[in-house]
Amino acid sequence: MSSPRRPSSQPSRGGRAPWSPRGERGRLPPVSRALGSFQLGHQDNIPSCTPVQRALMLLTPSLEKLQAVKCRMLEAMDKGLSRQTHAQATVRMLPTFVCSTPDGTEKGDFMVVELCQSHVRTLFVTLLGDGNQSPQLMYKIFDMPADMLQGTGEALFDFIAQCVHKFLEEIGSLQHRLPLGFVFPFSCRQTGLGKAELISWSKGFQCSDVEGKDVVQLLQAAINKLELYHVQVIALLNDTVGTMMASSWGGKPCEIALVTGTGTNSCFMAEAELVEVVEESNGRMCVNSEWGCFGDDGALGDVLTPYDHRVDQESSNPGERRFEKMVGGLYLGEIVRHAVLMLAAEQALFVGASTSVLGAKDAFKTQQVLEIMDNETGMAKARSALEALGLQPSERDCCRVQQICRAVVSRAAALSATGLAAVLSLMCRSRELERLVVNVGVDGELYRAHARFGEILQSVAGLLAPECTATLVPSADTNGLGVAMVTAVAQRLLTQRHEVEQLLAPLRLSRADLERVQALMRQEMERGLGRDSNANASVRMLPTYVCNTPDGTERGDFLALDLGGTNFRVLVVRVMQEGIHMASEIYVVPTSVMQGTGEALFDHIIECIMDFQTKQNLMEQVLPLGFTFSFPCQQLGLDKAVLLTWTKGFSASGCVGQDVVQLLRDAAQRKQHVALKVVAVVNDTVGTMMACGYDDPKCEIGLIVGTGTNACYMEERKNVGTVEGDEGRMCINMEWGAFGDNGCLDDIFTTFDRMVDEKTINAGKQRFEKLISGMYLGEIVRHILLAMVDKQLLFRGKPSLKLQTRDIFQTKFLSTIETDGLALQQVQGILRDLELDASFEDSMLVREVCQTVSLRAAQLCAAGLAAVVEKMRENRGLAQLAITVGVDGTLYKMHPHFSQNLQQMLQDLAPNCAVTFLQSEDGSGKGAALVAAVACRETSP
């Protein structure tokens, strides 16, 4: 046996040495020694031990055995949470639909009604929104007629309603709306915070016509009969949840509650996605473990003693609630009685005396057991209790009975701690934390009446769940304040939800809204295609002179040049029967060249092309070149594009108003580079369509949804009024980012959109793009969050300076925050980086805002695309159109839900079009080369 040592991390309360069943300080039974590192359990088979020692060992499970019980409890809890195994689980893990704990802002008047064994208690609570520091309370108890327990359900609920009416009359309550919380301590199937069907009566109640019915509705109907229409029952819960809420005072929010009284139970705030029996998958929900039934399947077989079996056999429900019968105060006196009775039968107690009195049930009360345990008066209490039974105990008898009492209560505390450790580990695991720090609300006669119970509870839980730091918080007036707090939190959330819905409503587009956007896009497309109306159209519908998509017969080597910023690429693209192979190199455009002369810029480009061709051994070949030039141009032919203006920091002189292809050719002549044949100039949207068209011949639409947004598609040439010719088709660069610049989308624009638009360098321009693209979504979210802070809906009304900084909330945050399975602690981490002290509820609300903004963007994009595919279908006179969209852009590719939301809404808006999406790979490089390849295919013999 190892020697006991003082605890290293959990000191005893008041500096006292741990107690021992023998009544001697410093000598511990195994469970008590869990306060240090002492473990027992291997001595059970020592033949020389006395009957008393054997009894104490039976009642003192080793730390290893407690660890095994914890693992079984975890397995049982997992079964209770799973939809597949919930019905068979012994630990039921019932959802309570309590999804938030108090935050101190709760304010107003609330009422609580508690149905007890022999009375109804009513409570009126006023919260001042001061952190719940000074709640004002009034209460009254109404005795209930004994025959009511066996009467009709209608009579019972009418009586409860009358108690409410009398109480309100006495306190002079005003006729304003009064939310009411109902404590109903019976087994219910709860489907909402204010919706619960009674499964079965217990505790002597057997009122007719109640089982299977919603008890909240029954109480509300009874209250309405008395014309108390301002009283609304909004929450139903049990005492364990009330403990958790009542313990959340003074800045100590609790996320776990443990009740160790007549019975035992626990509840905790679980990740909602774990609670598979309900549909809610976001945030957290309080789960009522109902762990009293743990072990009903035999999981406690190696811990149960002969005394436990006898207690169970004599109970009204043999084989049920085995864990509770080892822990609950209702049974501890009986365990002691059977242990003492069996020791007396072995002549280890009361030698020579008749002990038949110990055969009577309830000879020992739990209260007596707790009194006998006391260090100072326990021996006297033991003698008094035994003499009251007609026994003549010796000093030794009293000492041994005291030891048994201590072992029984010590085991109850250790088993409670084992259950608590399982809850702690489950929470830590599900939240993906290295260390969980949490407050535990505790209530019940055992915890309140005996300080050592709490010490063992704290210490053993710490040993069994070392990855968790749990602080025990004593509960205050469980069923009163706790239920009032649930009701207050529910009311706060209802009020906040109403305000959030009002704030976000303009961003939530209806089907009719999206159909109207689709119709407006179609209207603007027609205007953009018209020769006379083009100049006034917000969607420019620019001809690209690309008249065919790849058909798979393209062959050869092609060059591609991609210029769109401070870096540019040169590529060689080899199109062969077995596929496409590419090689490329990136070159830098120095600032002095970007802002110098046009000649210097294009000379630099030619020098880089020559360097690339030299490295690739292509200098002797004249290769067709496709030029991706991502600056505003007026395209006059496939290889002719006039620069309208420089952007992105370029300001090279002598280029605006000039054909950029000719500028490139002139530079090649200056550098005497004859191996250059520019055959096409394109933008990235067309390149995306062509790159995907090589893999899928049905790809006749290109879509970009990234920093910006645009689309192109193959239009019937006869419909393009801005170019000559009626035969075949031509790719139209829609430039749909400017859709709405003429005011046609003004009613879609919200206050937040206008605030974002006003701060851009092109206010009033690119209106559609500012609703959709990645450059702007983060800013829209930021302005919404600021509005919510202003309305006290977020961060307790305290914004950070960072949040007031433009562009600080990046669009990539939306992608991260909306990722499925991302723990809200990680969302809190993102918000902490913005110096925001976000609660769990704050994080959920930020996620909702992000989802709302990104969903709207995807749906608006779908409305625009629906106009395109429907026009193509009608152009071709088809009942059904099968088409592929080549798509590129970081928002589409990186956001976890954008593509799915876009495709789903497109299917709804264009049901006659079967649209496939194909993600592009290098549209600006490979796509430009394929434009050149198609052009060469058309001109070859």
Side-chain angles (χ1 to χ4, degrees), residues 75-393:
E75 291 175 6
M77 291 167 71
D78 285 335
K79 284 183 180 179
L81 289 168
S82 169
R83 182 180 287 108
Q84 285 75 26
T85 55
H86 173 78
Q88 294 80 39
T90 56
V91 181
R92 297 298 303 278
M93 306 296 278
L94 301 175
T96 67
F97 298 88
V98 173
C99 298
S100 183
T101 53
D103 68 1
T105 65
E106 290 77 19
K107 190 175 183 179
D109 296 329
F110 305 92
M111 189 170 181
V112 173
V113 173
E114 178 191 359
L115 177 60
C116 303
Q117 187 74 27
S118 59
H119 62 269
V120 170
R121 185 168 74 138
T122 55
L123 182 78
F124 190 90
V125 180
T126 300
L127 299 175
L128 304 177
D130 58 354
N132 301 325
Q133 295 298 312
S134 52
Q136 300 172 4
L137 298 94
M138 292 179 282
Y139 72 91
K140 184 170 182 177
I141 292 175
F142 295 86
D143 291 328
M144 188 163 52
D147 60 354
M148 190 160 286
L149 278 66
Q150 306 291 326
T152 66
E154 184 178 11
L156 173 66
F157 286 98
D158 283 348
F159 176 77
I160 297 172
Q162 288 162 9
C163 294
V164 171
H165 186 247
K166 291 176 183 176
F167 180 58
L168 293 177
E169 280 186 334
E170 289 184 19
I171 66 175
S173 171
L174 300 175
Q175 292 294 307
H176 61 76
R177 182 177 181 276
L178 186 60
L180 183 146
F182 184 25
V183 181
F184 189 73
F186 301 97
S187 180
C188 290
R189 183 178 296 105
Q190 200 156 354
T191 55
L193 185 59
K195 187 173 178 62
E197 294 178 359
L198 175 64
I199 296 173
S200 61
W201 287 111
S202 60
K203 305 173 186 177
F205 280 76
Q206 198 57 53
C207 299
S208 61
D209 298 322
V210 181
E211 291 182 353
K213 294 185 179 179
D214 184 347
V215 294
V216 172
Q217 287 186 1
L218 293 175
L219 178 57
Q220 188 68 64
I223 289 172
N224 290 346
K225 277 198 285 186
L226 299 178
E227 298 184 357
L228 299 174
Y229 299 113
H230 64 296
V231 178
Q232 295 185 358
V233 187
I234 67 171
L236 179 140
L237 70 160
N238 67 9
D239 56 348
T240 314
V241 182
T243 294
M244 184 178 75
M245 290 299 203
S247 302
S248 297
W249 297 99
K252 287 187 176 180
C254 290
E255 293 189 81
I256 304 175
L258 174 65
V259 172
T260 55
T262 306
T264 183
N265 196 15
S266 68
C267 69
F268 66 100
M269 296 301 291
E271 305 302 299
E273 62 186 20
L274 295 181
V275 191
E276 295 181 3
V277 292
V278 297
E279 296 301 321
E280 181 61 48
S281 61
N282 290 318
R284 291 177 183 154
M285 180 181 290
C286 181
V287 169
N288 169 23
S289 74
E290 288 293 345
W291 71 12
C293 295
F294 174 54
D296 289 3
D297 58 354
L300 291 172
D302 59 343
V303 184
L304 293 166
T305 67
Y307 325 127
D308 298 307
H309 289 302
R310 292 195 177 187
V311 170
D312 178 59
Q313 290 162 9
E314 292 181 359
S315 69
S316 61
N317 54 348
E320 298 178 10
R321 307 194 72 81
R322 300 307 301 269
F323 186 66
E324 183 169 88
K325 288 171 183 173
M326 301 173 76
V327 171
L330 187 63
Y331 305 96
L332 299 190
E334 281 295 280
I335 298 171
V336 169
R337 179 176 69 85
H338 279 289
V340 170
L341 185 61
M342 292 179 72
L343 287 173
E346 294 182 79
Q347 297 296 304
L349 289 175
F350 316 122
V351 178
S354 171
T355 56
S356 60
V357 66
L358 293 174
K361 197 173 179 181
D362 294 329
F364 272 98
K365 306 291 186 186
T366 296
Q367 184 57 41
Q368 291 175 308
V369 171
L370 295 175
E371 291 172 351
I372 290 170
M373 290 172 61
D374 187 77
N375 278 337
E376 307 301 330
T377 63
M379 290 290 286
K381 293 288 186 181
R383 181 174 297 280
S384 175
L386 294 170
E387 288 178 349
L389 293 172
L391 299 170
Q392 299 296 320

Side-chain angles (χ1 to χ4, degrees), residues 499-540:
E499 293 190 47
V500 167
E501 292 294 336
Q502 280 190 317
L503 201 68
L504 296 180
L507 292 110
R508 290 178 169 148
L509 302 179
S510 65
R511 172 71 177 267
D513 292 330
L514 294 167
E515 288 174 345
R516 190 162 52 81
V517 171
Q518 178 182 351
L520 286 169
M521 177 67 85
R522 176 66 180 268
Q523 179 181 309
E524 289 298 299
M525 289 170 66
E526 300 289 1
R527 292 179 68 189
L529 289 169
R531 183 186 304 273
D532 299 327
S533 55
N534 172 269
N536 297 319
S538 64
V539 181
R540 296 298 304 280

Side-chain angles (χ1 to χ4, degrees), residues 858-875:
Q859 291 180 335
L860 285 171
C861 192
L865 205 52
V868 173
V869 296
E870 277 296 307
K871 186 176 192 317
M872 295 177 74
R873 184 183 66 80
E874 292 175 17
N875 284 347

Side-chain angles (χ1 to χ4, degrees), residues 630-905:
S630 301
F631 298 91
C633 290
Q634 179 183 4
Q635 196 149 356
L636 303 177
L638 185 59
D639 63 348
K640 188 175 182 65
V642 175
L643 178 63
L644 299 177
T645 182
W646 283 116
T647 57
K648 307 175 187 178
F650 281 72
S651 60
S653 62
C655 298
V656 174
Q658 301 297 312
D659 176 7
V660 295
V661 175
Q662 190 58 48
L663 292 174
L664 190 64
R665 288 170 175 157
D666 291 344
Q669 285 187 344
R670 286 193 297 275
K671 294 294 181 178
Q672 299 181 343
H673 182 49
V674 294
L676 186 72
K677 181 183 176 183
V678 184
V679 298
V681 58
V682 298
N683 73 0
D684 53 354
T685 314
V686 178
T688 294
M689 181 187 76
M690 297 297 276
C692 294
Y694 182 81
D695 298 315
D696 184 350
K698 289 183 180 179
C699 183
E700 297 185 74
I701 302 174
L703 175 66
I704 301 289
V705 194
T707 307
T709 184
N710 193 18
C712 69
Y713 72 103
M714 297 301 291
E715 176 61 85
E716 305 303 309
R717 190 155 182 170
K718 65 184 179 183
N719 294 334
V720 187
T722 52
V723 297
E724 300 298 328
D726 293 336
E727 296 301 318
R729 295 171 182 156
M730 180 180 288
C731 180
I732 297 298
N733 170 24
M734 295 179 66
E735 290 294 343
W736 79 2
F739 175 43
D741 287 3
N742 59 359
C744 66
L745 294 181
D746 282 1
D747 57 341
I748 297 293
F749 257 60
T750 67
T751 303
F752 311 115
D753 299 313
R754 294 187 186 94
M755 294 168 76
V756 171
D757 179 50
E758 288 167 1
K759 297 296 183 182
T760 60
I761 60 173
N762 58 344
K765 304 294 184 184
Q766 297 293 106
R767 303 291 296 279
F768 192 57
E769 183 169 84
K770 288 171 183 173
L771 299 173
I772 292 177
S773 72
M775 180 175 285
Y776 305 100
L777 298 190
E779 267 299 274
I780 297 171
V781 168
R782 186 179 71 86
H783 281 287
I784 297 171
L785 298 185
L786 286 172
M788 288 185 167
V789 172
D790 188 56
K791 290 180 175 290
Q792 305 285 310
L793 300 174
L794 263 183
F795 315 131
R796 294 176 179 80
K798 299 173 183 176
S800 70
L801 288 175
K802 270 195 174 182
L803 190 60
Q804 296 170 356
T805 305
R806 186 180 167 206
D807 294 327
I808 196 69
F809 200 97
Q810 301 170 35
T811 297
K812 69 177 182 181
F813 292 165
L814 276 75
S815 297
T816 304
I817 288 171
E818 293 184 54
T819 299
D820 290 332
L822 183 75
L824 287 185
Q825 282 88 353
Q826 293 170 272
V827 178
Q828 287 176 302
I830 293 172
L831 298 174
R832 268 195 302 273
D833 290 341
L834 299 176
E835 299 175 0
L836 293 165
D837 182 18
S839 68
F840 192 82
E841 288 75 21
D842 290 336
S843 301
M844 287 181 60
L845 190 48
V846 170
R847 176 178 284 175
E848 182 180 357
V849 172
C850 292
Q851 289 169 338
T852 302
V853 171
S854 66
L855 175 62
R856 183 186 67 157
Q859 291 180 335
L860 285 171
C861 192
L865 205 52
V868 173
V869 296
E870 277 296 307
K871 186 176 192 317
M872 295 177 74
R873 184 183 66 80
E874 292 175 17
N875 284 347
R876 301 176 188 189
L878 300 173
Q880 294 285 331
L881 173 71
I883 197 80
T884 297
V885 178
V887 60
D888 202 355
T890 52
L891 184 58
Y892 183 92
K893 288 183 173 181
M894 304 304 293
H895 190 281
H897 303 296
F898 190 95
S899 59
Q900 180 183 349
N901 291 334
L902 165 60
Q903 292 173 34
Q904 182 177 335
M905 184 49 65

